[in-house]
Amino acid sequence: MKDFAEQTAAAAAQSFNQKIIELLRKDSGGIISGEELGRALNISRTAVWKHIKALKGVGYQIEALPSRGYRLLFTPDLLIPSEIAAGLATTRIARKIIYFKETDSTNLAAFRLAEQGIEEGTVIIADEQKQGRGRMGRHWESPQGTNIYCSIIIRPPISPVKAPQLTFLSAVAVARAIEATTPLHPAIKWPNDLLIGSKKVAGLLNEINAETEKIHFIVLGIGVNINMRREQFPDDLRHPASSLLLEGNSPVNRVEFARALFTAFDTLYDDYLTKGYDMIREEWLSRSMVSGRKVSVAFEGKVAVGVATGIDEYGALLVQQKNGETARVLAGDVSLVD
Amino acid sequence: MDLKDIKSLIKFVTETDITEFELENPDEKIRIKRGSFHDQTNNQLFQPLMQYNTPTRTEVPALPTESPSLPATLAHDEGFTITSPIVGTLYRSPAPDAPPYVEVGQIVEKGHVLCIIEAMKLMNEIEAEFRCRILRISKENAQPVEFGETLFVVEKM
């Protein structure tokens, strides 16, 4: 695992690459000389050339016109910060983006960086996860170059007791992003699975670091199956799964999706901090597929069957059972019965 | 007496201060004794530790990170209690088929994960805030915990 200093150095290099792309893109199809780029970034022409070479190495097509300069011809669907940051108008979220070509898990990377004190809103994003995971140590299939795997670090000034509310905020943000980038309409399964029809397309896993009265940070992990093809899904999935590509019959640009996601999250998080949880809860309920439906919930080593009547102020699922008792579910697996 | 009756009886006894209950009739004899071994030897301080089942008395290296400080308060004279910072479901291992994070009698370093508490897919790893020996594990796996409820009793090392 890269240490913090290396990660910081990588982030600095990414930042130069990002600025070069921004300058090349400014005048679409235009040509900018190496000298001009060097002046704008306060680096030598040789350094500019090195960055151009690095950009070409990750898939950009940049034409070098002798004695005239550089021209951007093609932008790949790469999750690198320069691409996501271009045109991203958020206030808190993704002002800093750290990209890994591959990592163990973005949640683990985010947790480590958050412990080092990295600022709120930082996003960790990876092209591939070697140990993508879900709850109870379950595996999250994370092939390279096809999906979104990211973790958002926040430090909300709220009591740890209220922290589970962020689970619902995060799920609503993903639903909004799917609607912004596809014609699809996802439903949310309690608490934060995103489904198209009956198939799961996104899974979210959150981790908190807190003491009794204070949250140090929360890591909100988000995995979305974007352009995953049928043969890339493992055979032994617990629940049927799909991708936005398979459900919408059209590939989705990952960079656009990431921008839509961080924009939606930023707006919702601002609403949450200024106006409270109620709006988030309302939107979650309107997008929820379990409200009013008959469900079976495996939790606390038992199974409750009944009608899901809603969620309480903390987000616990309320299930009205046949015997008249209402089960309050804090953690469990929900399936629809009918 | 069938299993259901015995369950009700146990529930009944648990809701009182009774620590020992015995019922005898010609057909059967039922004896309910409450509390862990440690509870009953509360005043003997750490001496009963010798009798604990200590299968994994291994030293675990500390994580190279600043761990969150957790509420640890002095409880009676038996050690420190570690309480739950949130409402949720407690898991004693990272996965259903994985071994528990800790067992009674084990000595763990600062930063060692003791359990996970989950609430609405938000995971809270409870870590040891100092080097300690686990004296008691107050909760079973996959059981609900309330805010401030005792999770572990530990001896500061």
Side-chain angles (χ1 to χ4, degrees):
Chain A
M1 197 56 235
K2 280 184 187 175
D3 66 17
F4 191 58
E6 276 181 59
Q7 285 176 5
T8 311
Q14 281 178 10
S15 147
F16 273 119
N17 290 347
Q18 179 173 334
K19 282 179 187 143
I20 288 174
I21 288 298
E22 275 167 20
L23 290 167
L24 288 174
R25 194 176 276 137
K26 222 174 201 173
D27 184 18
S28 186
I31 300 162
I32 304 181
S33 72
E35 200 183 334
E36 210 175 319
L37 285 170
R39 216 172 25 241
L41 298 171
N42 204 17
I43 55 175
S44 70
R45 282 176 62 180
T46 315
V48 169
W49 179 79
K50 277 182 185 163
H51 285 295
I52 296 278
K53 200 177 159 197
L55 287 164
K56 281 179 168 175
V58 295
Y60 286 91
Q61 286 176 24
I62 299 167
E63 190 181 18
L65 301 148
S67 74
R68 291 174 67 194
Y70 299 102
R71 179 164 62 175
L72 179 63
L73 298 177
F74 174 78
T75 301
D77 182 22
L78 283 176
L79 294 171
I80 55 179
S82 52
E83 282 304 314
I84 298 167
L88 186 70
T90 53
T91 52
R92 290 188 183 83
I93 304 304
R95 299 319 300 162
K96 181 174 195 140
I97 302 171
I98 297 175
Y99 165 76
F100 292 98
K101 189 154 174 24
E102 65 168 63
T103 187
D104 41 9
S105 130
T106 59
N107 265 24
L108 286 174
F111 209 91
R112 287 188 290 258
L113 287 163
E115 281 181 324
Q116 309 262 12
I118 208 157
E119 61 259 43
E120 168 166 83
T122 301
V123 168
I124 313 300
I125 194 160
D127 197 45
E128 179 178 7
Q129 290 186 119
K130 292 295 186 191
Q131 292 168 45
R133 63 212 168 96
R135 65 185 285 268
M136 327 254 319
R138 288 169 196 154
H139 172 74
W140 183 261
E141 191 71 14
S142 310
Q144 174 254 325
T146 53
N147 295 334
I148 290 277
Y149 320 112
C150 69
S151 298
I152 301 171
I153 297 164
I154 52 168
R155 301 175 186 276
I158 57 167
S159 150
V161 177
K162 289 185 174 175
Q165 294 173 342
L166 276 311
T167 288
F168 299 86
L169 188 157
S170 185
V172 169
V174 177
R176 283 192 186 181
I178 292 173
E179 288 180 356
T181 52
T182 72
L184 301 166
H185 295 288
I188 306 175
K189 192 180 84 167
W190 185 91
N192 60 1
D193 283 346
L194 275 290
L195 285 79
I196 309 282
S198 59
K199 292 176 181 162
K200 183 165 166 175
V201 294
L204 289 70
L205 184 73
N206 310 319
E207 294 176 62
I208 184 173
N209 183 306
E211 43 191 292
T212 315
E213 297 298 329
K214 186 179 185 297
I215 293 173
H216 296 299
F217 59 84
I218 298 175
V219 168
L220 297 156
I222 298 167
V224 189
N225 297 337
I226 305 274
N227 295 321
M228 213 169 163
R229 298 181 307 278
R230 180 54 54 209
E231 67 271 18
Q232 289 178 297
F233 286 91
D235 300 327
D236 56 349
L237 288 175
R238 295 166 45 83
H239 299 291
S242 191
S243 68
L244 301 184
L245 166 72
L246 293 170
E247 295 305 305
N249 293 314
S250 171
V252 176
N253 184 287
R254 290 188 300 160
V255 172
E256 278 174 27
F257 186 90
R259 265 189 229 131
L261 174 61
F262 303 144
T263 303
F265 195 103
D266 191 66
T267 306
L268 286 161
Y269 189 50
D270 187 70
D271 285 346
Y272 177 74
L273 293 179
T274 55
K275 298 170 199 156
Y277 176 56
D278 285 351
M279 282 172 61
I280 310 287
R281 183 170 174 273
E282 288 305 311
E283 184 166 343
W284 186 91
L285 284 170
S286 76
R287 293 176 178 278
S288 160
M289 66 181 300
V290 296
S291 294
R293 301 281 295 273
K294 194 173 177 192
V295 295
S296 164
V297 193
F299 75 114
E300 293 165 16
K302 55 184 189 268
V303 176
V305 179
V307 176
T309 53
I311 54 174
D312 72 9
E313 60 182 315
Y314 298 106
L317 181 70
L318 304 172
V319 179
Q320 176 93 44
Q321 297 175 100
K322 226 175 179 177
N323 62 11
E325 279 177 31
T326 297
R328 183 169 177 261
V329 184
L330 296 167
D333 284 319
V334 179
S335 338
L336 289 176
V337 172
D338 47 15
Chain B
M1 195 174 271
D2 64 25
L3 190 65
K4 200 170 154 236
D5 292 331
I6 296 172
K7 274 187 183 165
S8 326
L9 188 61
I10 291 171
K11 190 166 181 285
F12 177 72
V13 172
T14 319
E15 283 162 4
T16 69
D17 290 327
I18 300 166
T19 55
E20 212 163 332
F21 176 86
E22 213 165 322
L23 173 77
E24 200 170 353
N25 62 40
D27 299 317
E28 53 198 355
K29 182 178 168 180
I30 290 172
R31 186 155 166 252
I32 299 169
K33 209 170 167 185
R34 287 186 58 208
S36 68
F37 176 67
H38 193 83
D39 276 340
Q40 296 155 38
T41 54
N42 208 5
N43 300 325
Q44 297 172 37
L45 274 174
F46 302 122
Q47 188 235 327
L49 274 175
M50 307 302 289
Q51 295 161 44
Y52 275 135
N53 175 24
T54 56
T56 47
R57 205 180 266 255
T58 47
E59 301 277 329
V60 181
L63 297 177
T65 55
E66 274 298 306
S67 60
S69 56
L70 288 160
T73 48
L74 199 60
H76 316 300
D77 52 358
E78 64 175 358
F80 287 86
T81 63
I82 295 173
T83 57
S84 178
I86 57 167
V87 173
T89 300
L90 177 139
Y91 298 103
R92 286 198 49 212
S93 62
D97 52 358
Y101 289 111
V102 287
E103 295 284 9
V104 166
Q106 189 175 346
I107 294 170
V108 297
E109 299 297 328
K110 178 184 171 179
H112 185 86
V113 177
L114 304 173
C115 68
I116 286 187
I117 299 174
E118 176 187 7
M120 282 61 84
K121 287 266 274 288
L122 178 71
M123 305 294 172
N124 194 341
E125 282 188 346
I126 307 299
E127 296 175 355
E129 128 177 3
F130 40 73
R131 185 169 192 263
C132 61
R133 189 203 309 269
I134 311 297
L135 297 183
R136 195 170 73 209
I137 299 171
S138 307
K139 283 281 165 183
E140 294 292 318
N141 187 51
Q143 288 308 299
V145 293
E146 292 299 322
F147 171 77
E149 201 175 357
T150 299
L151 307 176
F152 299 91
V153 178
V154 299
E155 177 191 1
K156 200 169 179 175
M157 304 293 285

